[in-house]
Amino acid sequence: MSANSRLTIAAHALTWIGLYQRRGYEVATSEQIATSVNTNPVVIRRLLAELRKAGLADSRRGAGAGWMLTRDLAAITLLDVYRAIEPGPLFALHPATPDPECVVGHGIGPVMAAVYDEVEAALRGELAKTTLEDVLRDVLKAA
């Protein structure tokens, strides 16, 4: 099973747009963003469409087409980005009900659900502490 990189790519794209706008540009094209991420512009457009639905980005069509942030980087947390692209739970229980006659099959669901709830609460709490402004600041420090 491979790790999910959607949060990283979404944070990368939004942070890049924010920096680009600070440098005096109004909108960024998906091709420009894709070059930084090293992926196909279609991947960026699909992800940014989800971020647009969540109110984190917007797009302009026609002449001067491109993407822009709807809020300042300091007003967007990693939790905001996470919620926009990963609306469901992080972990799932069995797709089929385990054997209720088995002691483990009978009790595994509630036990794992409680653990998963705690893990997800901790994850959300940590993501809420970091804004994209923090991300950009640390990226620029490392450059």
Side-chain angles (χ1 to χ4, degrees):
M1 180 184 308
S2 65
N4 184 335
S5 62
R6 287 171 43 85
L7 177 59
T8 302
I9 294 170
H12 182 150
L14 292 172
T15 303
W16 192 92
I17 294 168
L19 179 60
Y20 193 66
Q21 288 179 310
R22 284 188 188 170
R23 290 182 172 168
Y25 300 96
E26 200 170 331
V27 297
T29 67
S30 53
E31 290 79 9
Q32 291 168 315
I33 302 162
T35 297
S36 178
V37 176
N38 194 24
T39 192
N40 190 297
V42 172
V43 171
I44 297 301
R45 283 191 288 275
R46 286 181 183 151
L47 199 54
L48 285 171
E50 292 178 56
L51 296 167
R52 178 178 49 213
K53 287 178 189 171
L56 301 178
D58 203 2
S59 62
R60 180 186 305 159
R61 294 179 181 252
W67 294 91
M68 65 204 87
L69 299 181
T70 57
R71 303 192 309 224
D72 189 67
L73 290 174
I76 302 172
T77 67
L78 288 176
L79 181 58
D80 296 327
V81 180
Y82 176 77
R83 284 180 175 152
I85 62 167
E86 302 291 345
L90 188 59
F91 301 106
L93 298 178
H94 300 86
T97 304
D99 181 358
E101 300 300 318
C102 170
V103 66
V104 174
H106 176 73
I108 194 78
V111 170
M112 296 306 291
V115 170
Y116 294 161
D117 288 346
E118 288 181 31
V119 168
E120 289 195 31
L123 171 73
R124 291 175 191 278
E126 287 301 311
L127 292 175
K129 293 178 185 178
T130 304
T131 68
L132 293 183
E133 183 70 36
D134 299 329
V135 171
L136 179 59
R137 180 195 65 233
D138 292 347
V139 164
L140 294 175
K141 273 186 201 176

